[in-house]
């Protein structure tokens, strides 16, 4: 297949859907790759590096989209600055990338009209055999890492214990709320920097994962129905959240950094830190709210902004992977190529639509919505 990789046009987006290494990986299957001139600029990947890897550089979005039967993207197609990305994808073509179908129903409609087969990276099922295609986990890993570095840079203390001739500096205390992929990576990064780390997550399996990283798990009586059969967090009762907030409140006076990542799929993020609770934190401390775009775990969070209140910086973190674009693009590129190679195996007619992986992440095919959970929501909202 001919694969086109455009330059991302979303504001602040620095990632690119393929890197030279992942171009080489996909070329081995006999595909051709076309990259828009300058697509790798944000991630410090020059056109020459892409050419050396075997890709062809195409100038301008229109010509680029014309060159590919399949389009690999990072962000969902946008219509801005005179470019209409969904409209440029070839009729009967293939789209692979983040799609956020629930918030981009218009794009989905256009995919249906133009018979585009689309795969949404958010919907790759989180099962063992799809781990190498799981871009949500890759990007959460980068975000958890970067969140700690931003906190370290912003706070007015140092992370590690230091015993110096000028006296002893005590280590920073970091509190992690939600220990999924991002939270666990934040724990690991904060530990590497020498902080004292405490964490909480309502899913029972997480306790051991937190401890194995050398952090303290905040013990609480966990509700019996904290997670779904698939191991994902469920929305918790207001009574439990109240108890959790008390436990958090008791730790805030000593927390130099809070990294909050608590989320429940498809719901607003739970509110765990009120404005009043922020007052409990030491002056100069930092909250990095990775749930900012889902409403935030802290009441004072504003997505994409730094709010200073009561001497505390509250950072509404948005798209942290774009701050580490070289490695984030490499990981994303690997995920997208692994998915594509799995779907379009050499010498086959295309995806086996009875398989759980395409069943989960294929949103549109043959002019119809084929993802069952999205179909119900799309139809309920009216086509
Ligand atoms: P996420 O980003 O949706 O949520 C972050 C964390 O917030 C979760 O760990 C959740 O339990 C936690 N949370 C929810 N309510 C909370 C509350 N009130 N207080 C504190 N924390 C709260 O999660 P994620 O990192 O994308 O995924 C986590 C789940 O996905 C886990 O079950 C994990 O094992 C699973 N997973 C599986 C695979 C795989 O098998 N391929 C890959 C990645 C993740």
């Amino acid at each position: 297949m001919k694969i086109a990789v455009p330059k991302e046009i979303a504001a602040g987006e620095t990632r690119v859907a393929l890197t030279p290494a992942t171009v080489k990986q996909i070329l081995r299957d006999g595909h051709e790759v076309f990259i828009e001139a300058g697509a790798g600029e944000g991630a410090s990947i020059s056109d020459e590096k892409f050419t050396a890897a075997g890709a062809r550089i195409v100038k301008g979005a229109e010509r680029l989209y014309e060159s590919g039967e399949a389009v690999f993207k990072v962000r969902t197609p946008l219509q801005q600055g005179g470019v209409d990305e969904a409209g440029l994808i070839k009729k009967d073509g293939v789209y692979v990338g983040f799609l956020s179908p629930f918030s981009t129903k218009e794009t989905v409609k256009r995919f249906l009209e133009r018979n585009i087969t689309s795969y949404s990276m958010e919907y790759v099922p989180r099962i063992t055999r799809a781990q190498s295609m799981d871009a949500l986990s890759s990007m959460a890993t980068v975000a958890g890492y970067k969140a700690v570095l931003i906190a370290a840079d912003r706070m007015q203390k140092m992370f590690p214990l230091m015993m110096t001739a000028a006296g002893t500096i005590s280590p920073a205390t970091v509190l992690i709320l939600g220990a999924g992929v991002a939270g666990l990576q934040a724990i690991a990064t904060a530990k590497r920097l020498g902080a004292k780390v405490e964490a909480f997550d309502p899913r029972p399996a997480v306790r051991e994962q937190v401890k194995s990283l050398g952090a303290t798990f905040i013990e609480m009586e966990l509700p019996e129905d904290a997670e779904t059969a698939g191991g994902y967090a469920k929305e918790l009762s207001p009574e439990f959240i109240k108890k959790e907030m008390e436990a958090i409140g008791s730790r805030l006076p000593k927390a130099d950094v809070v990294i909050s990542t608590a989320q429940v799929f498809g719901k607003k993020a739970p509110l765990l830190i009120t404005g009043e609770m922020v007052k409990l934190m030491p002056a100069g401390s930092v909250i990095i709210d990775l749930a900012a775009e889902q409403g935030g775990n802290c009441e004072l969070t504003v997505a994409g902004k730094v709010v200073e209140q009561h001497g505390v910086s509250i950072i509404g973190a948005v798209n942290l992977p774009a701050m580490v674009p070289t490695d984030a693009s490499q990981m994303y590129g690997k995920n997208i190529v692994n998915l594509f190679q799995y779907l379009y195996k050499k010498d086959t007619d295309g995806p086996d639509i009875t398989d759980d992986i395409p069943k989960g992440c294929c949103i549109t095919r043959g002019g119809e919505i084929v993802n069952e959970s999205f179909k119900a929501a799309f139809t309920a909202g009216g086509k």
Side-chain angles (χ1 to χ4, degrees), residues 66-88:
E66 269 170 25
S67 353
E69 294 148 329
V71 171
F72 287 4
K73 262 186 72 37
V74 180
R75 301 283 286 267
T76 192
L78 294 177
Q79 206 166 356
Q80 69 180 37
V83 179
D84 169 15
E85 294 186 315
L88 287 174

Side-chain angles (χ1 to χ4, degrees), residues 134-213:
D134 182 356
L136 279 184
S137 287
S138 303
M139 297 303 105
T141 300
V142 178
Y145 160 82
K146 190 66 185 177
V148 175
L149 298 193
I150 293 171
D153 189 44
R154 182 94 193 177
M155 68 189 264
Q156 295 174 358
K157 291 182 57 178
M158 293 189 280
F159 262 56
L161 166 78
M162 285 199 194
M163 292 163 105
T164 77
T168 298
I169 301 290
S170 52
T173 299
V174 176
L175 175 62
I176 312 272
L177 302 175
V181 181
L184 289 172
Q185 186 55 234
I187 294 173
T189 307
K191 285 298 292 180
R192 282 183 209 122
L193 287 179
K196 263 173 68 185
V197 184
E198 288 190 297
F200 178 71
D201 193 292
R203 288 182 294 117
V206 177
R207 178 188 282 118
E208 285 315 309
Q209 295 167 357
V210 166
K211 287 185 175 172
S212 72
L213 289 168

